[in-house]
Amino acid sequence: MNPKTPSSPRFRDPTRYDVIVVGAGHAGCEAARASARMGMSTLLLTISIDQVAHMSCNPAIGGIAKGHLVREIDALGGLMAMAIDATGIQFRRLNMKKGPAVRSSRAQADMYMYKSWVREELEAQERLHIKQGLVEGLLVEEGAGRSRVAGVLTQAGEEYGSEAVVVASGTFLGGMVHVGETMYPAGRAGEPPATTLSRALEHLGLRMGRLMTCTTPRLDAKTIDFDRTQEQPGDEVPRPFSFRTREITREQVPCWITRTTPGTLRIIQAGLHRSPMVSGAMKGTPPRYCPSIEDKARHFPDRTSHQIFLEPEGARTTEIYANGLFTGLPVEVQVAMLRSIPGLEEVQIMRPGYAIEYDFVDPTQLAPDLMLKDVTGLFLAGQINGTSGYEEAAAQGLLAGINAALRVRGEPPLVLGRDEAYMGVLVDDLVTRGVTEPYRLFTSRAEYRLLLREDNADLRLMETGYRLGLITDEEIGWLREKARMMERGLEELRGRKVTVEREGGARRGTPLEKVLRQPGVAYRDLEGLDTGFTPVPRQDVAEQIEIAVKYQGYIQRQEAMVRKVRRLESLTIPGDLDYASLSALSREARDRLGAVRPRNLGQASRIPGITAASVSALMVYLKGREKEKGERRKGKAGRK
Amino acid sequence: MTRPDAKARRAALAMTTAQHLDTIAAISTPPGHGGVGMVRIAGPRARDVLRAIFTPASGPDGGPVPRRATLGHVHPPRRPSEPIDQAVTVFFQAPRSFTGEDTVEITAHGGPLIMAGILSAAVQAGARLAEPGEFTRRSFLNGRMDLCQAEAVASLIFASTEEARQVMLRQVEGAMGRDAAAMRSHLVDAKTLLEAAIDFPEEVEEVDTGRLAGSLRAALTASEELLRTAREGIALREGLRVVIAGAPNVGKSSLLNALLEEERSIVHEIAGTTRDYVEGVISVEGVPMRVVDTAGLRTGAGPVEEEGARRTRRLMEGADLLIMVLDGTRPMSREEERLLQSTAGAPRVVVANKADLPRAAGFVEPDGTIIASALTGQGVEELRKEIHRVFTGGSRALEAAGGVVTSLRQAEALERIRSGCSRALEALEGGGPCLSGAAEPELLAVDVDDALAGVGELTGEVTAEEILGEIFSRFCIGK
Ligand SMILES: Cc1cc2nc3c(=O)[nH]c(=O)nc-3n(C[C@H](O)[C@H](O)[C@H](O)COP(=O)(O)OP(=O)(O)OC[C@H]3O[C@@H](n4cnc5c(N)ncnc54)[C@H](O)[C@@H]3O)c2cc1C
Ligand SMILES: Nc1nc2c(ncn2[C@@H]2O[C@H](COP(=O)(O)OP(=O)(O)OP(=O)(O)O)[C@@H](O)[C@H]2O)c(=O)[nH]1
Ligand SMILES: [Mg+2]
């Protein structure tokens, strides 16, 4: 393709949109829908309308920490949870042997049904126009010191004007696909890249970098001998993601597990030098948590066997996703490798695995509302910000859509704290710490993990969603009822006292709350201890009560930590602070602070390389400045 | 590098190119100390200042050579013909200096006038007077020392006994930092085991509880060992408050004088001589102690004495150790008996004084009482030994080679580490709260996080802002 700067448009749409979203991936779909639901006239432009909400990689939603995100998206009025509930073909909750804070939901999707479900939902949305079109340029007005976005230009010569633009272009910016020694420009296998848009962003003066990732070969189920694999069923009773879904009724399917053999390892090792990720043909940084099979063979040569999960891509297709075989090896090596695995001896590949490298925008250039600090009205969301994963993308998309709408409305942005939501952790990590590899969320990234559970996402975020207009009256009524029931249930546990048998004799007057705190005692057990006590019938409420009581000590400790950090968070730093003039800081600290321009001391303290010492120096400076201001004010008042 | 904060440290090393825009100067020896004094100048212009106010004995040269002592004389800027004093100067080039910046040390005869003269010459040559604690602060900011070291620097200057000096020196050299690094690596190990099982349950099915317990126990033991040094260590730095109390006229003031080996407190045969408290500093086995003589405790006397007695009680409450004095020439009064009872739980030494006189028939002293005479000095040495024994509980904590806890701040941080580890271990062994029957890794992680935060507080890597404020405000001389 011949990259060209878009020249004068051949079609200028007289309608001005409030918000334009570029890219109908997982980020773009959430952004566009939220914006439209918040009353904005919204345009969603995407390269191919047939690929709306396409799952580029794994046909699954959720997982550890990702499941948390999906529940949060749902509580804020997003789409993803409902979409997977409607189209999931196998649900499994992970970490069930551990406590509620780290239990996560995951589901296999019928990815084709998922796509059409999302597309239908978007098409039904008022105020939202979906158009096919490759965006090549941004309309930007240069202002005093700051530029502002005014719309977009497409490859077909259309021009659309708007107040805000959300770019959610995924892996498409300067995308380059590699399969063994072969490479070709693409945003995803079989789809064109967005090369000119990448240039346009660079033109705005943005710092950009390059990352890479890879995907697995897709296999034809009718060429797999499933008898040689182990069946992996889903949960007996599938638990929905969305607070709105009552139950999952769709027929569930199993997945299968097989393993690589020593032969597989030998084949990979013999072909290693032909992998673009090993040969040096690719320049981007790959994710460590999702290593290619080449990397596994290289870094853990002693492990002769790796688990491979065979996951159906849908109920009506024979296409199977071979999870665990992420690879950039040449197709012939992929075939040989696969056929050395039990059950796959005669397998046929439907689509080979491949690696892709792409441009991303250094996310420390974003403010916490996901708008670029130097380009008013231009928001970025999803993989373009250096993340990876559908859930991470959707979470950012939702926030960017919300904030674009709030901006058009002239209202303050929605910024979630690290103690409020994994979404807050995700965004703060991105805009404060930046990325060095494709960023994925883990529960260990959250310092207040016990507070951020899947089971309380509604209690944490639904009121916010309601204020934004993304949660209906009915839904909020349901939540408030839940909260009330919880409160009453807890009060009752504190108020009712029973006599409990102990080693040293019976102990009178022990509150039920204390009894429940004992290991091994469940909320429902209390009924047998106290005849006057009736447990709350609603299961979700009972669960909350049990967690609140059992975890109380730990939760209180985390809340105390939150309060402590919030104090640093409340010391705001002026956006125009001239770090270069702060002689008490090292040059490195000044550079880093100047690049991120943190909003408050809390954020400053989380910038990598910013030591406690630098933070205290900054605090001393800010306090001094405050005092000076105060005195000047007093001085003025005195002169009056 | 095995330092706990290797990353922060590397960043800090890069920081040593830090360009503090100004150059600071101060007298760096405490006032009134001995025959020599030092003026220290640090900052980007330190070398220029030196060249302006110092001429080597060998005549003007190409400028100072790093780390070489040079003899010459100091003078006002560019007026070598008006020498202030003869001096030895050493130039330290960034980053290999105390603060991490270019630094000059000028050592001269220590008289206050001479020192002031040199300082004023430095200021005329372009330096500015340092704020209290600024050298140490810059040194900390430049990553030249951790928080424990920074504290120790301040303490070193004030160290009043040789033992205290030795301990502080060990801290400045980073003994505590090394211990913290060891604890940190155990805790990081523990945390890694937990997080791996939580975030990657498919790859890491179970927490390796054996290894986890091992790491936690190692950190626990290390923190406990350090905490054992706290009482003595803090006393070394801050001194111990010892209060002498008892009935009027039993010889409290005489005993203070005997301990001080000087006539500090007024002694008189009239009961109630001491109306307000008098104090002196003694060193017992290297531990500095502020010994306070108090007004005798007696009810039913005049209002002035009542007030004195009230103060005495307040002092007794705040004391680290009490010396309860009895008069062996008369039986104990009801009041004295009550007083002994009420202080039985506190760290104290009981002394039966006036042993040079015949003992009263009805006088029965409690077990372990030291028999002494303030007049003849009999038993005073024994009293000192007993004070030390009661205070240390017989431990020889300071003799261990590792770090010594020398401030409450450190003790609190270590306590956080200790309790985090012990809570986690307890939960691991089945004593903690859980929902599923086993110790859940995410709950254990809260405790390990807490312990890790303790390590951070200890060396100042991730310290809370108020601690820093505290510490820097305590560096209160021209260091
Ligand atoms: C090969 C491969 C391997 C992957 N492996 C993993 C993995 O192992 N683990 C994991 O978590 N995630 C993986 N992913 C990432 C996952 O697919 C993405 O993180 C997620 O889809 C990102 O969502 P998004 O909305 O940001 O972008 P995408 O889902 O990529 O959607 C971007 C959308 O924008 C459209 N678009 C792009 N540019 C333009 C333009 N200029 N004009 C109009 N429309 C445009 C595209 O057509 C597309 O519809 C992989 C992706 C690929 C391609
Ligand atoms: N013989 C003898 N006389 C002593 C001894 N110690 C103190 N005295 C005398 O006892 C009297 C009281 O001594 P102080 O030291 O003033 O007693 P105090 O306890 O401080 O008294 P108040 O301050 O009045 O409470 C003085 O006359 C001392 O000389 C001792 O060990 N032997
Ligand atoms: Mg006296």
Side-chain angles (χ1 to χ4, degrees), chain B residues 345-363:
Chain B
R348 66 163 194 197
V349 180
V350 182
V351 182
N353 191 29
K354 307 195 186 176
D356 55 303
L357 296 176
R359 148 105 51 134
F363 181 80

Side-chain angles (χ1 to χ4, degrees), chain B residues 355-379:
Chain B
D356 55 303
L357 296 176
R359 148 105 51 134
F363 181 80
V364 193
E365 76 271 12
D367 280 353
T369 297
I370 304 290
I371 313 294
S373 164
L375 201 67
T376 65
Q378 171 199 342

Side-chain angles (χ1 to χ4, degrees), chain B residues 95-114:
Chain B
R96 297 181 58 210
S97 72
F98 179 71
T99 64
E101 308 158 292
D102 277 359
T103 301
V104 167
E105 290 181 359
I106 306 176
T107 309
H109 299 104
L113 280 178
I114 290 175

Side-chain angles (χ1 to χ4, degrees), chain B residues 154-177:
Chain B
S155 308
L156 193 54
I157 300 157
F158 291 113
S160 50
T161 68
E162 180 55 24
E163 281 80 357
R165 231 180 55 77
Q166 291 295 336
V167 167
M168 296 311 160
L169 215 52
R170 238 151 78 193
Q171 303 292 77
V172 173
E173 286 159 9
M176 180 67 91

